Amino acid sequence: SSAVESINSNLDKVWPTDATHNIFLDDGDSSLDPQHIRNKKFPTKVCALAYDYMEEEGSVVTLYKDDRHAWHFDESSHSVTIMLQTAESGGLFRHTAQIRKRKDISDGVFSVLEEMLAKERGGKPTEDSVNNLSDVQTLTFEPGTLSIFSGSTCVHEVTEVLGSRCREVAVLCFSTEKGKKNSPKVQEMFYGRVKQ
């Protein structure tokens, strides 16, 4: 497609992210242990091509090649993604049900996250399991797949991409607050610059 061609002709302008972050994409809570789910760090390695680097104005494009995006909540209330190109293997979009209200950072959310990660490691659900909220689902994406997603309320990840073909996704972020942008920390991490 012309979008994929435009992206591939501008790969020299992508911003590489090779960082760790907590699930909430913030600085965590220093009053809690560093290994508490509120502070625990996960590795993320992705590349992003901002819309203003593309030949035609468009959305931010996230590229994954030998990359992954660790479990996280989005800062934007909703995202729309369009799959432009799938990876040869891997690059699966995995998510939970809505496990929190926007911006809720509480013991209840921590419990669901801990349970989800325990299940991912092969553990068993606890007796006080919260209605399977911690169950992980995988969405199947093909080129052209459109997803409308509440990433601020559902924790999600993209698994490691394998093979020589990049996973390319157009990402459009939306907020219920006029003029809202990602935090400077998130902008710097994923785009290498801050625009407020």
Side-chain angles (χ1 to χ4, degrees), residues 57-75:
E57 283 196 26
S59 61
V60 170
V61 175
T62 304
L63 311 171
Y64 298 83
K65 184 174 181 182
D66 302 323
D67 300 340
R68 64 171 292 125
H69 195 164
W71 290 108
H72 66 283
F73 290 109
D74 292 340
E75 289 184 328

Side-chain angles (χ1 to χ4, degrees), residues 10-177:
N10 287 289
L11 290 179
D12 60 321
K13 298 176 185 156
V14 300
W15 176 258
T17 298
D18 189 355
T20 59
H21 58 74
N22 69 5
I23 287 177
F24 301 94
L25 297 177
D26 63 14
D27 292 327
D29 183 340
S30 62
S31 71
L32 299 171
D33 184 271
Q35 289 304 308
H36 186 279
I37 192 65
R38 177 73 178 89
N39 296 322
K40 189 174 176 72
K41 301 285 186 175
F42 298 89
T44 288
K45 185 177 177 189
V46 299
C47 293
L49 179 65
Y51 74 93
D52 56 341
Y53 288 146
M54 295 177 63
E55 291 171 13
E56 297 178 19
E57 283 196 26
S59 61
V60 170
V61 175
T62 304
L63 311 171
Y64 298 83
K65 184 174 181 182
D66 302 323
D67 300 340
R68 64 171 292 125
H69 195 164
W71 290 108
H72 66 283
F73 290 109
D74 292 340
E75 289 184 328
S76 60
S77 62
H78 292 82
S79 297
V80 174
T81 64
I82 303 167
M83 176 61 73
L84 302 173
Q85 178 175 279
T86 58
E88 288 175 22
S89 180
L92 302 175
F93 181 80
R94 302 175 68 225
H95 67 94
T96 64
Q98 292 184 335
I99 64 171
R100 70 174 193 161
K101 293 184 178 177
R102 285 187 196 103
K103 301 180 182 178
D104 177 19
I105 300 177
S106 66
D107 288 341
V109 174
F110 300 154
S111 294
V112 174
L113 292 171
E114 290 285 6
E115 181 170 307
M116 184 230 13
L117 292 174
K119 286 180 184 178
E120 289 291 294
R121 292 187 300 267
K124 296 186 177 165
T126 59
E127 286 185 24
D128 59 342
S129 179
V130 190
N131 300 322
N132 298 323
L133 288 178
S134 63
D135 289 351
V136 174
Q137 300 175 23
T138 301
L139 291 181
T140 303
F141 282 93
E142 296 299 328
T145 299
L146 175 76
S147 169
I148 302 170
F149 183 70
S150 178
S152 63
T153 61
C154 305
V155 68
H156 53 287
E157 73 165 349
V158 174
T159 64
E160 184 178 3
V161 169
L162 305 170
S164 61
R165 187 174 63 227
C166 291
R167 177 186 193 270
E168 298 181 358
V169 181
V171 180
L172 301 97
C173 299
F174 296 90
S175 176
T176 56
E177 300 172 42

